[in-house]
Amino acid sequence: EMEAYDVYLVDGRYRVACACASFLHAMSRGGDMERVRVGVHDWNRGKVGKVEDWHWGYWELEEIAETEHKSQLLAVLKLRPNTTEHDIMKMWKNHVWDRR
């Protein structure tokens, strides 16, 4: 798409990479990053048991984005003000083959 969206929804496989790609798409298309939100389905997946056993969660996206809203299955993220395109691209590269 040639224009940025205000809302992106990520579900299925490769969620961390797809969330990063959503932010990158909005940035590259001149989106108003104050308005852009990315929803990630199954946000709490894997967050059971001992912390050291967590492996499926997507909360490391909070390094680049703030969680604006959470429910049992969905988190709505807003890019942190100081996050750069380089920061997002680095996370995307680290997760491009991560199927979770």
Side-chain angles (χ1 to χ4, degrees):
E1 295 296 323
M2 296 308 295
E3 294 183 33
Y5 297 108
D6 289 336
V7 178
Y8 295 79
L9 179 61
V10 176
D11 191 10
R13 303 247 186 233
Y14 307 98
R15 290 179 209 197
V16 174
C18 287
C20 290
S22 298
F23 283 123
L24 290 168
H25 178 268
M27 290 174 95
S28 70
R29 302 302 193 276
D32 178 355
M33 299 313 289
E34 283 295 313
R35 294 181 47 153
V36 171
R37 301 294 183 271
V38 175
V40 180
H41 185 247
D42 286 338
W43 179 257
N44 288 324
R45 176 181 277 179
K47 216 169 191 179
V48 294
K50 297 181 285 183
V51 173
E52 58 270 16
D53 294 334
W54 294 355
H55 60 283
W56 276 102
Y58 313 111
W59 46 90
E60 76 184 272
L61 284 163
E62 291 179 324
E63 293 175 22
I64 62 167
E66 300 169 353
T67 305
E68 193 167 74
H69 174 78
K70 280 185 199 174
S71 68
Q72 282 186 312
L73 295 176
L74 181 72
V76 178
L77 307 175
K78 175 185 175 184
L79 199 63
R80 291 187 182 279
N82 296 327
T83 300
T84 66
E85 189 173 351
H86 175 77
D87 298 331
I88 302 167
M89 188 60 108
K90 182 179 174 184
M91 183 173 283
W92 178 83
K93 285 180 180 178
N94 288 336
H95 292 278
V96 71
W97 301 113
D98 180 356
R99 294 180 48 144
R100 61 184 161 140

